Amino acid sequence: MLLELFVTSWILGFSGAMMPGPLLTVTVSETTRRGAKAGPLLMAGHALLELALVAALILGLKSFLNNQYFIITVSIVGGLFLIWMGYGMLRDARQGNISLELQSGPEKVLVGPVLTGMLVSLSNPYWTIWWATVGLGYLTSAWEYGMAGLFFFFTGHILADFTWYGVVAVAIARGKKVMSDRLYRRIIAVCGAFLIGLALTFIWNGIVRIAG
């Protein structure tokens, strides 16, 4: 049963990992800047955040995760954070401040990829909703097998993230061999615009929840 739990949680993990969102967009941006290592580093931050969340849920904080005001706060504050990131991408792309050659020199970033993985995941309200519904239900089933069940569940789940984003990072990194700085800046600009658009959607949903 534990092996079945591992396999099914791994497959289930792809339901969140493969959905387009801010983490995928940032993976594209960071990989073109840092190389294929960006994928695992971002996922390390994501995994640490999810491990902390699983521990919190086991300690009885699931009602906090389902709290309407918490979701509203995540939607608005997370949206503002993503706007800040998206604006930085658009600004650097427009001003020509980024280049594929930046990998061999000092990196112009405020936080490392591990912390970025944590912050971007936390800023996405749909990540919270997934854990408050699908994740929480599966976590409850896994807890029936005690700590062993939690281990197999979490390992399978996070392996899906590492698998998908690792493949994405390697594919993008190899593509850099035929990518010009001009194309790179356009990709970053598109990613920045996507983040801002997604952030506005998050903020709007938060406002609708308040009004409702």
Side-chain angles (χ1 to χ4, degrees):
M1 291 300 293
L2 289 176
L3 180 59
E4 180 182 349
L5 181 65
F6 170 83
V7 174
T8 54
S9 63
W10 181 69
I11 296 173
L12 180 67
F14 282 103
S15 70
M18 297 183 69
M19 291 297 292
L23 193 56
L24 179 61
T25 303
V26 172
T27 299
V28 173
S29 172
E30 289 294 305
T31 300
T32 51
R33 184 191 301 271
R34 302 173 186 271
K37 65 180 181 180
L41 289 174
L42 287 166
M43 285 305 101
H46 178 75
L48 288 173
L49 178 64
E50 294 203 323
L51 182 61
L53 178 62
V54 168
L57 290 174
I58 293 301
L59 292 174
L61 297 181
K62 60 182 180 181
S63 59
F64 180 75
L65 189 66
N66 281 304
N67 186 275
Q68 181 81 354
Y69 296 105
F70 175 74
I71 295 178
I72 291 173
T73 300
V74 169
S75 298
I76 296 177
V77 176
L80 292 174
F81 172 74
L82 293 180
I83 286 177
W84 172 75
M85 288 192 67
Y87 170 75
M89 291 180 186
L90 287 173
R91 179 198 59 214
D92 289 343
R94 181 176 60 84
Q95 296 178 354
N97 294 333
I98 51 177
S99 169
L100 292 173
E101 299 301 321
L102 281 176
Q103 275 201 112
S104 59
E107 294 173 342
K108 297 173 62 177
V109 292
L110 295 178
V111 295
V114 175
L115 183 56
T116 297
M118 296 178 66
L119 293 175
V120 170
S121 299
L122 188 59
S123 69
N124 185 358
Y126 294 113
W127 175 80
T128 305
I129 293 172
W130 188 94
W131 272 103
T133 54
V134 180
L136 183 58
Y138 213 89
L139 182 62
T140 302
S141 299
W143 184 238
E144 295 180 3
Y145 300 95
M147 293 302 296
L150 289 181
F151 174 80
F152 277 86
F153 160 72
F154 186 77
T155 302
H157 172 78
I158 206 64
L159 183 60
D161 293 324
F162 274 94
T163 300
W164 173 246
Y165 285 98
V167 169
V168 169
V170 169
I172 295 172
R174 290 184 176 180
K176 287 175 59 179
K177 296 178 180 179
V178 294
M179 184 184 298
S180 65
D181 277 346
R182 184 177 181 181
L183 177 58
Y184 166 60
R185 293 186 185 114
R186 287 181 177 177
I187 291 174
I188 296 301
V190 170
C191 288
F194 177 79
L195 277 187
I196 292 176
L198 196 61
L200 292 175
T201 300
F202 290 168
I203 293 173
W204 174 252
N205 288 339
I207 293 174
V208 169
R209 285 177 179 271
I210 294 174

